[in-house]
C-alpha cells in the first residue's frame, strides 16, 4: 500500500490539488475532507492533478463524483489533469469521462 500525499495550491476561487500515491478506501476520506474545506472557503473551481496517482479504487472515484457535486452546488467546477491511461480507462468503463473536464498535466512544481 502506497500512502497518499496531497499538495494544494490556491489562487482566488481556484484550487489545484496534487495527488500522489493511492486514492482508495483508506485514503479517500482525507481528500474528501480537504475538498469540503476548500469549497466551504470559497474555492469552488477544483483541479485534481492525478499524474501521481498509482491506483484509484471505487471509493476514489466516489471522491471525484462527490467533489463534482459539491463544486457544482457552489457554482464551480472540477477538472482532472494528468490522467494516466489506466485511470482514463477506469473513467471510461464507468461512464464518468463525460462528467469531468480532462485537462493536460500541470507544469508547476
Amino acid at each position: 500500500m502506497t500512502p497518499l500525499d496531497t499538495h494544494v495550491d490556491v489562487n482566488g476561487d481556484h484550487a489545484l490539488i496534487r495527488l500522489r500515491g493511492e486514492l482508495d478506501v483508506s485514503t479517500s476520506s482525507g481528500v474528501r475532507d480537504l475538498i469540503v474545506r476548500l469549497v466551504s472557503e470559497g474555492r469552488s473551481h477544483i483541479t485534481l492533478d492525478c499524474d501521481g496517482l498509482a491506483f484509484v479504487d471505487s471509493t476514489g472515484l466516489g471522491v471525484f463524483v462527490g467533489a463534482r457535486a459539491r463544486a457544482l452546488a457552489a457554482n464551480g467546477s472540477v477538472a482532472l489533469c494528468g490522467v494516466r491511461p489506466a485511470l482514463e480507462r477506469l473513467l471510461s468503463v464507468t461512464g464518468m469521462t463525460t462528467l469531468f473536464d480532462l485537462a493536460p498535466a500541470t507544469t508547476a512544481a
Side-chain angles (χ1 to χ4, degrees), residues 1 5 11-12 20 26-28 35 39 52 55 57 70-71 82 84-87 89 96-97 103 106:
M1 175 168 69
D5 293 319
N11 184 7
R20 304 286 180 260
S26 65
T27 60
S28 292
I35 292 166
V39 173
F55 176 78
D57 72 3
R70 186 166 302 282
R84 293 183 176 188
L87 178 55
R89 243 183 341 273
M96 295 174 60
T97 52
T106 61

Side-chain angles (χ1 to χ4, degrees), residues 3-23:
L4 182 72
D5 293 319
T6 59
H7 177 79
V8 180
D9 293 313
V10 296
N11 184 7
D13 63 352
H14 289 77
L16 170 65
I17 304 171
R18 297 177 193 280
L19 304 168
R20 304 286 180 260
E22 297 183 357
L23 183 57

Side-chain angles (χ1 to χ4, degrees), residues 28-108:
S28 292
S29 63
V31 177
R32 186 178 300 111
D33 293 347
L34 174 61
I35 292 166
V36 167
R37 180 178 58 82
L38 289 168
V39 173
S40 71
E41 292 172 350
R43 293 174 174 90
S44 58
H45 297 282
I46 306 286
T47 300
L48 298 169
D49 180 350
C50 302
D51 186 51
L53 286 176
F55 176 78
V56 178
D57 72 3
S58 60
T59 311
L61 290 179
V63 169
F64 294 164
V65 172
R68 180 180 182 271
R70 186 166 302 282
L72 288 176
N75 296 314
S77 62
V78 172
L80 305 179
C81 71
V83 174
R84 293 183 176 188
L87 178 55
E88 189 169 3
R89 243 183 341 273
L90 183 60
L91 293 169
S92 179
V93 299
T94 57
M96 295 174 60
T97 52
T98 60
L99 297 180
F100 300 98
D101 292 326
L102 299 181
T106 61
T107 57

